[in-house]
């Protein structure tokens, strides 16, 4: 036995097999196997683990197979933006932003991708025990046009004269005010020209009231509230939540048979493809002609001709 076989039997077998393949046409089937094993890039066989992990929607709470990027859950690391990890331990999927929880009500990727959220602490409850403001980062999700800010002022040391400020500011009875203090809510964005006459008063509310909280709400829901002022309609407006638009990066990636994810290195969206990650889509895969041929022939029977 040649000494090369003793030192490296695999290399000996490979080299001699490759020589015999060219000498004997009857080895055509084996030649294809060898070609696939050694010529096709290893990335074709070792299909990107992240592409597999991040492909398709995922379930969380009562949302079954409906959620995509930028959201992610445990086990799907690198499949979503770091700021959008979901808590799936309860009945409803929840997102924590600025120490405030938001419930995911719905999500659609048809036409213009849209997600609907509602603040968990305000669902069915106008007066949570710890009302707090929370900022929304719009770098990934942007508020849609049909959205306005509803502002609630709690425990204010000021009593508005009845009918003095029109229909845009109303009393909010929470039950924990004492000594003539009260709470209010404003149904228009504080920068609205409709509030120009009371802008100074509202500015003073930041010091006259214990807390103030601004929450995105559907403009349509607020219009309905202004037409029929009631605590029930205010609660319904908050329960309906608000919509955020999702950029088209993920939709385009999915259309090109990629999987949406996030690159920790570039700190940006990334599209995982079977060959390698791409910045947006898999349309330009970068595979060589030989590699592409190998990808599409895994399911083609080998030539059995001797």
């Amino acid at each position: 036995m040649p000494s090369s076989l003793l030192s490296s039997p695999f290399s000996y077998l490979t080299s001699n097999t490759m020589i015999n393949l060219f000498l004997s046409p009857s080895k055509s089937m084996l030649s294809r196997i060898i070609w696939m094993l050694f010529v096709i890039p290893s990335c074709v066989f070792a299909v990107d683990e992240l592409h597999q992990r991040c492909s398709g929607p995922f379930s969380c709470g009562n949302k079954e197979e409906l959620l995509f990027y930028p959201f992610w859950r445990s086990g799907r690391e690198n499949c979503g933006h770091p700021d959008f990890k979901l808590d799936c331990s309860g009945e409803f999927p929840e997102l924590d932003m600025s120490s405030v929880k938001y419930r995911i009500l719905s999500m659609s990727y048809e036409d213009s991708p849209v997600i609907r959220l509602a603040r968990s602490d305000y669902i069915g409850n106008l007066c949570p025990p710890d009302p707090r403001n929370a900022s929304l980062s719009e770098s990934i999700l942007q508020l849609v046009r049909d959205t306005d800010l509803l502002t609630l002022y709690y425990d204010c040391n000021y009593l508005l004269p009845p009918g003095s400020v029109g229909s845009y500011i109303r009393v909010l009875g929470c039950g924990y005010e004492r000594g003539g203090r009260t709470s209010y809510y404003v149904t228009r964005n504080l920068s609205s020209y409709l509030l120009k006459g009371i802008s100074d008063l509202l500015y003073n509310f930041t010091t006259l009231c214990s807390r103030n909280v601004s929450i995105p709400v559907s403009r349509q829901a607020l219009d309905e509230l202004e037409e029929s002022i009631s605590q029930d309609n205010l609660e319904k407006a908050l329960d309906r939540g608000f919509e955020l638009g999702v950029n088209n990066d993920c939709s385009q990636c999915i259309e090109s048979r990629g999987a949406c994810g996030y690159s920790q290195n570039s700190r940006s969206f990334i599209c995982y493809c079977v060959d390698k990650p791409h910045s947006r889509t898999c349309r330009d895969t970068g595979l060589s002609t030989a590699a592409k041929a190998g990808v599409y022939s895994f399911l083609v029977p080998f030539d059995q001709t001797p």
Side-chain angles (χ1 to χ4, degrees):
M1 181 179 293
S3 59
S4 60
L5 178 59
L6 295 176
S7 60
S8 180
F10 182 76
S11 60
Y12 176 84
L13 174 63
T14 301
S15 60
N16 281 273
T17 301
M18 293 296 290
I19 293 172
N20 289 333
L21 288 177
F22 290 100
L23 298 177
S24 175
S26 64
K27 305 290 187 178
S28 60
M29 182 179 72
L30 183 59
S31 68
R32 293 190 64 180
I33 295 176
I34 297 296
W35 178 81
M36 292 178 69
L37 288 175
F38 295 98
V39 177
I40 299 177
S42 60
C43 64
V44 175
F45 280 97
V47 178
D48 192 347
E49 178 186 351
L50 290 174
H51 178 266
Q52 296 185 46
R53 182 191 306 171
C54 302
S55 292
F58 67 97
S59 301
C60 181
N62 66 346
K63 304 301 180 190
E64 297 184 0
E65 300 294 329
L66 290 176
L67 300 171
F68 281 94
Y69 180 93
F71 305 108
W72 59 284
R73 60 173 299 170
S74 296
R76 289 178 63 92
E77 288 76 10
N78 299 313
C79 300
H81 191 280
D83 295 340
F84 292 90
K85 181 181 181 181
L86 296 182
D87 180 358
C88 302
S89 60
E91 181 180 357
F92 304 98
E94 288 189 314
L95 173 68
D96 193 320
M97 290 190 289
S98 301
S99 299
V100 168
K101 289 188 178 296
Y102 293 85
R103 183 181 298 181
I104 296 182
L105 302 181
S106 63
M107 190 169 186
S108 173
Y109 272 84
E110 297 179 2
D111 299 325
S112 298
V114 170
I115 173 84
R116 180 176 288 274
L117 303 177
R119 277 192 53 158
S120 300
D121 54 343
Y122 276 91
I123 294 179
N125 182 19
L126 298 176
C127 310
D130 185 25
R132 61 178 64 186
N133 250 328
S135 59
L136 283 171
S137 173
E138 294 191 57
S139 60
I140 306 298
L141 302 175
Q142 296 81 38
L143 291 169
V144 300
R145 290 184 178 180
D146 182 34
T147 306
D148 217 334
L149 290 179
L150 170 73
T151 302
L152 304 102
Y153 295 94
Y154 292 100
D155 193 26
C156 303
N157 187 24
Y158 188 87
L159 185 61
L160 287 172
S164 62
V165 291
S167 59
Y168 306 123
I169 179 168
R170 295 285 177 167
V171 172
L172 171 65
C174 276
Y176 51 63
E177 300 88 354
R178 296 290 185 271
R181 301 173 73 91
T182 189
S183 299
Y184 301 95
Y185 65 92
V186 181
T187 58
R188 293 282 170 168
N189 192 312
L190 297 181
S191 62
S192 171
Y193 72 94
L194 295 171
L195 302 178
K196 186 175 181 180
I198 58 170
S199 57
D200 290 341
L201 172 63
L202 295 178
Y203 176 79
N204 291 332
F205 267 16
T206 58
T207 56
L208 292 171
C209 307
S210 297
R211 297 192 184 188
N212 64 285
V213 178
S214 293
I215 303 174
V217 179
S218 162
R219 182 65 253 169
Q220 180 182 358
L222 291 177
D223 289 340
E224 294 172 2
L225 173 61
E226 290 174 359
E227 293 176 3
S228 180
I229 296 291
S230 71
Q231 297 285 93
D232 286 343
N233 286 339
L234 174 59
E235 189 174 299
K236 289 177 182 178
L238 287 166
D239 289 352
R240 284 171 61 176
F242 57 96
E243 291 185 340
L244 293 153
V246 184
N247 62 41
N248 291 322
D249 288 344
C250 188
S251 298
Q252 294 172 356
C253 175
I254 293 173
E255 288 175 2
S256 69
R257 299 187 179 182
C260 306
Y262 184 86
S263 169
Q264 298 291 343
N265 293 329
S266 64
R267 299 187 180 223
S268 61
F269 173 84
I270 197 166
C271 185
Y272 298 121
C273 308
V274 294
D275 62 325
K276 63 180 181 179
H278 291 261
S279 60
R280 286 291 177 268
T281 73
C282 300
R283 300 191 192 284
D284 181 18
T285 62
L287 287 174
S288 65
T289 302
K292 289 179 181 178
V295 171
Y296 295 111
S297 66
F298 288 165
L299 298 180
V300 178
F302 294 130
D303 184 4
Q304 300 289 339
T305 305

